[in-house]
Every structure is written in C-alpha cells, then in structure tokens.
Amino acid sequence: MARFLSKNVKTAKKLVNKNEVLPLKEAIDLAKKVSFAKFDESVDIAIKLNLDTRKSDQQLRGAVVLPHGTGKTVRVMVVTDDVNLQKQSKAAGADFVYSSQELPEVLAADKYDFDVIVADPKMMLVLGKYGKKLGPKGLMPNPKTGTVTLTPAKAVEELKKGKANYRADKGGIIHASVGKKSMPTQKLAENAETLIQTIKKLKPTAVKGTYVQNITISTTMSPSIKVKIEL
C-alpha cells in the first residue's frame, strides 16, 4: 500500500510544474488528473492575501453560498425556544431542532451527529457555556458566518444549498472547499470564482499594494497548482 501511494505521489509530482501558473479551469482539471485517491476528494482553494490579521480591521471571516453547492451533505442543528422559528426551521430542512432546555443533554455527548449549529441570538447565553467544547470543533455559531441569526430557517436553506465558510488565518491565507472531485470542472470553477470575487470585494481599505498575492487549487491528496490571478 505504501509503495502504491509513493508511486502515485511521484507520478503526480512529475505532472505538476511548480512554477507554472494556469487559468482556473485548467488548474482544476490538472488537480483532478493528478489525484489518485479512491474516494471522492474535496477540491480546495487557498488564497494568499496581503493582510495583517493581528489588526482588527484586516481580519476576514464570513460565508458565501456557492452556486453549485459543496458536494457534501451538511447536517444542521437549530437551537431556539421560539416555537414559530422551530417550525420554520424544520420546514426548511433542519436535521435537528432543540430548545435551550434540551440542549444540555445533546451537548453532553462526546460525538455529535450534526455538522453546523444555527442559533437565534437569545440562545448564545446558553451556548456560551459550551464554548470550550464547541470552539475547538469549529461548531460555535457566529454572526459573521450567518449561524447566529433572527432567521434560522433562511440559514438552514443556505447551508443545505452549499454555503462555504472562509477565514483568513494568521498568515493571511484563506482555505476553503469549493466542491468534490466528482463534480464537473465548470461547476467547480464557478464555485471557486464566486469565492474569489467575494474575497476581492471585501478588501480592507487599510490594505496597500497587491491584495491577492497567490491562489492555488488542489484536491485532498494532490499537489497544489498555481492559478492565474485575474485582475
């Protein structure tokens, strides 16, 4: 098995020129070509930005609905005590809907059967008690990603359609999934372009010089491929 993987890695590296910069669709096609995993890998994008995330006005975090979804089934849990919001959330496709009284028992488990928590603002006092548990798992709701909202049903609909979160790390790099390898290249490119354009529109006024410095595309197991930056 190790020899098989090693052989594939060597083959992939031979097919990728580290110095070559390709148009988006060509980069995605190549990432697929050099992917040898037997599972349906994620297609990921990394966008290097000229940001100093130590400064509050240069921190970038949010979410965008991708036109063709992420290719993943997202299990959504809604937390609210409002009976009408509970009904609306269930109708919108929420997998689980709990009240603040039911929440402690649900969060007492070590393993969760949901991927995202959507909460109405009143629930944050309750959820805040579980911050140390939810935060490291990336499950803590946040207004910037639209998971703390007065309209949880709308948030559920967007998540089910394919909403991608993005956040600039300490190095100013945004990592996000734009779909699955099995998806058509055209749809993956449109998803990626939607994210890129969203990031460009959010350029902080304090940033001077080149804002988008580098973009790469890869699958879960493939090498990274440089993408031509369109002005």
Side-chain angles (χ1 to χ4, degrees):
M1 183 66 176
R3 180 182 294 179
F4 174 76
L5 290 175
S6 177
K7 182 180 178 180
N8 283 337
V9 169
K10 289 179 181 178
T11 302
K13 287 183 176 180
K14 287 181 180 178
L15 293 171
V16 176
N17 182 343
K18 291 183 179 180
N19 298 316
E20 188 176 23
V21 181
L22 298 175
L24 182 58
K25 286 178 66 176
E26 289 183 28
I28 292 172
D29 275 334
L30 181 55
K32 287 183 173 185
K33 184 178 179 180
V34 299
S35 166
F36 295 98
K38 293 184 178 180
F39 62 93
D40 193 9
E41 300 171 70
S42 292
V43 176
D44 304 316
I45 189 169
I47 307 173
K48 174 68 173 74
L49 302 173
N50 177 23
L51 294 177
D52 184 352
T53 54
R54 295 172 298 178
K55 299 178 180 179
S56 60
D57 62 349
Q58 294 189 42
Q59 294 175 4
L60 211 58
R61 182 178 185 180
V64 59
V65 177
L66 301 178
H68 305 293
T70 61
K72 296 190 294 184
T73 300
V74 180
R75 299 166 299 174
V76 184
M77 181 178 88
V78 173
V79 185
T80 179
D81 284 335
D82 187 304
V83 177
N84 288 327
L85 293 181
Q86 290 176 352
K87 291 179 180 179
Q88 292 169 13
S89 298
K90 288 178 181 177
D95 298 275
F96 311 97
V97 179
Y98 297 115
S99 67
S100 58
Q101 291 183 333
E102 297 169 313
L103 191 62
E105 183 178 349
V106 174
L107 296 184
D110 291 326
K111 292 184 179 180
Y112 302 134
D113 50 6
F114 54 85
D115 304 301
V116 183
I117 300 176
V118 175
D120 80 44
K122 294 179 181 178
M123 296 296 100
M124 291 312 292
L125 284 174
V126 180
L127 283 165
K129 299 176 183 178
Y130 301 92
K132 290 183 179 180
K133 191 171 186 178
L134 297 175
K137 297 179 183 294
L139 291 171
M140 196 65 182
N142 190 297
K144 291 183 178 180
T145 59
T147 48
V148 178
T149 173
L150 293 169
T151 55
K154 181 181 178 182
V156 171
E157 290 176 354
E158 291 179 342
L159 287 163
K160 290 294 185 179
K161 286 179 182 177
K163 193 172 187 179
N165 291 332
Y166 57 83
R167 183 177 187 174
D169 63 17
K170 292 180 180 179
I173 303 174
I174 286 177
H175 298 276
S177 171
V178 294
K180 291 287 189 177
K181 187 176 71 173
S182 59
M183 294 171 62
T185 296
Q186 180 64 35
K187 291 186 176 181
L188 289 167
E190 289 173 7
N191 279 353
E193 189 61 33
T194 296
L195 177 61
I196 292 169
Q197 292 305 319
T198 298
I199 299 303
K200 285 183 176 180
K201 290 177 183 177
L202 294 173
K203 177 182 178 181
T205 55
V207 172
K208 305 299 180 184
T210 303
Y211 174 48
V212 181
Q213 298 181 323
N214 188 45
I215 300 176
T216 61
I217 284 286
S218 64
T219 66
T220 306
M221 303 294 288
S222 80
S224 295
I225 298 156
K226 291 182 179 180
V227 175
K228 182 179 179 181
I229 300 172
E230 303 290 345
L231 301 178

